[in-house]
Amino acid sequence: MPASLVTFITHYGYFAIFGLVFLQELGIPNPVANELVLLFAGSLAYAGTLSFIGVFLSAILGDIIGTSILYFVFYHFGTRVFEKKPRWIPLSREKIEQLGRRVRTHGGWGVFIGRLLPFVRGYASVAAGLFCIKPRTFFTAVFSSALLWTGVYVILGSIFGK
């Protein structure tokens, strides 16, 4: 992890953790993956620099708020984007419809599993919004996956923080 990022997280603490997780969940790339941010934050919690609960809550809030914004953007405006099928979308219309059928079939479980897989996390929210998964189903899956995903990485950071 770059020294400047270590300094940023150490200096700004919970706000930095929230911000980095939030931005990446919005689809804005960070210099370092959220998994590494949470591992480092877990090690800071082990060292007593930050509290475990504070790290856990700031990461969960950043995750849920960021991914919910992404979901709602695609829930309300996604069909307009895909009506004309811009060239920057690498999938054919048939592939998009096939993906839509899968997302609708698996619903909340698909979102939950997708949110636990690195590199798929953001796309799960986009797909859920684009294919109009009900907000209640989405939020249940996102809240559950955020608890598990965040908890695992922060706990691992605490364990390896030794």
Side-chain angles (χ1 to χ4, degrees):
M1 188 174 321
S4 59
L5 193 58
V6 169
T7 304
F8 178 71
I9 294 170
T10 305
H11 187 262
Y12 292 102
Y14 310 114
F15 179 73
I17 295 164
F18 172 87
L20 290 168
V21 171
F22 172 78
L23 289 173
Q24 193 163 29
E25 293 305 322
L26 271 178
I28 300 169
N30 290 342
V32 175
N34 279 344
E35 292 82 1
L36 294 176
V37 170
L38 293 179
L39 288 170
F40 178 66
S43 70
L44 290 175
Y46 171 78
T49 306
L50 299 173
S51 77
F52 180 84
I53 297 297
V55 168
F56 189 67
L57 290 177
S58 60
I60 285 175
L61 286 174
D63 185 343
I64 292 171
I65 294 170
T67 203
S68 296
I69 291 171
L70 194 61
Y71 163 77
F72 277 117
V73 165
F74 278 88
Y75 187 85
H76 292 290
F77 305 109
T79 53
R80 293 181 192 158
V81 170
F82 283 95
E83 280 175 356
K84 295 186 180 184
K85 171 72 176 66
R87 289 183 296 199
W88 53 264
I89 299 173
L91 302 174
S92 66
R93 286 191 189 276
E94 295 78 28
K95 287 284 188 189
I96 292 170
E97 285 303 318
Q98 183 182 28
L99 176 63
R101 285 191 296 275
R102 277 194 198 154
V103 169
R104 285 185 204 103
T105 301
H106 298 295
W109 283 108
V111 173
F112 176 77
I113 299 297
R115 297 283 305 148
L116 294 177
L117 301 173
F119 306 112
V120 177
R121 290 177 56 77
Y123 296 115
S125 301
V126 169
L130 181 63
F131 299 115
C132 297
I133 297 294
K134 293 178 184 170
R136 183 176 179 167
T137 302
F138 175 78
F139 284 117
T140 301
V142 165
F143 181 74
S144 303
S145 66
L147 287 174
L148 183 59
W149 179 76
T150 302
V152 165
Y153 281 104
V154 173
I155 289 168
L156 285 174
S158 295
I159 291 170
F160 293 119
K162 300 174 185 178

